[in-house]
Amino acid sequence: MEPVGYLFKTKWGLTGSAGLYYDYIFARTGVFIRARNPLLRATLCISPAEIRGLFPLDEEIEFTHGKIPHALYDLAISALMVNRSLEQYLAVTWDGRYHLTAPTQSREPAEVRYERVGSTILDIHSHGAMRAFFSGTDDADEQGLCLYMVAGRLDTFLPQVEMRLGVYGYFAPVTKSEIFDV
């Protein structure tokens, strides 16, 4: 099996050769990437276009164990606000249930270095008092199949949060309701 597959969305379903790591799917609505790991399955449009003769495909996120409990979002924001002057890292992981984890890390005002945590479904880091945004460093670091969140303006009553889905270097914004249960 090849590392990357190439599929076509036809009236008979998906045809072509599936890949070991991920697939590019050509559909009426554009070119998509689809990947799966033990926690997440995602289909992301990476190049919208009209490709005549094929059938449409939609973007989707599917959680193997259901959406993340909203209480972990609240807990993460609270934990990040405790030390708002330094960048920090948290991860939502799975080991039979979702957990918020703070691995070993070194923190500075504009940088955080941390240990990678296995079974991570949501990667979270803060920007302290700066606005929430994904930097070029984030784009370079966030190359897996995972959900990513950055929190900023932690010195205000209502912090700013940005979230995205990452599929091997391709990104799409996601909303809180797409990730967390209500």
Side-chain angles (χ1 to χ4, degrees), residues 2-169:
E2 295 293 322
V4 178
Y6 299 91
L7 303 170
F8 299 88
K9 178 74 182 217
T10 70
K11 66 180 176 181
W12 301 284
L14 292 175
T15 62
S17 299
L20 184 61
Y21 301 114
Y22 56 89
D23 298 314
Y24 288 108
I25 304 172
F26 297 85
R28 176 181 295 157
T29 47
V31 180
F32 293 75
I33 187 170
R34 177 175 285 166
R36 165 186 301 246
N37 65 28
L39 302 173
L40 193 61
R41 178 178 178 243
T43 303
L44 177 63
C45 184
I46 59 172
S47 184
E50 180 184 347
I51 303 176
R52 296 183 191 127
L54 296 176
F55 279 65
L57 186 65
D58 294 319
E59 292 185 320
E60 68 176 343
I61 301 172
E62 183 181 313
F63 295 83
T64 304
H65 305 290
K67 290 183 178 181
I68 299 167
H70 194 276
L72 293 181
Y73 173 86
D74 294 334
L75 183 60
I77 295 298
S78 295
L80 294 172
M81 289 182 81
V82 169
N83 193 349
R84 57 190 82 168
S85 63
L86 300 176
E87 285 202 12
Q88 302 170 73
Y89 174 81
L90 301 169
V92 175
T93 61
W94 175 265
D95 73 349
R97 66 185 181 98
Y98 290 115
H99 295 274
L100 185 65
T101 305
T104 302
Q105 55 195 281
S106 64
R107 302 169 181 158
E108 296 184 27
E111 181 181 20
V112 61
R113 288 185 291 296
Y114 53 90
E115 275 183 21
R116 294 276 178 200
V117 181
S119 297
T120 297
I121 190 168
L122 175 61
D123 202 60
I124 304 167
H125 77 279
S126 68
H127 280 179
M130 292 189 308
R131 68 182 176 84
F133 67 96
F134 290 100
S135 68
T137 300
D138 297 332
D139 292 346
D141 289 346
E142 298 171 355
Q143 293 295 308
L145 171 58
C146 196
L147 295 159
Y148 300 98
M149 180 173 123
V150 61
R153 305 266 190 242
L154 294 171
D155 58 336
T156 67
F157 182 68
L158 293 172
Q160 189 180 54
V161 174
E162 294 290 328
M163 291 180 270
R164 68 183 180 182
L165 166 67
V167 183
Y168 300 110

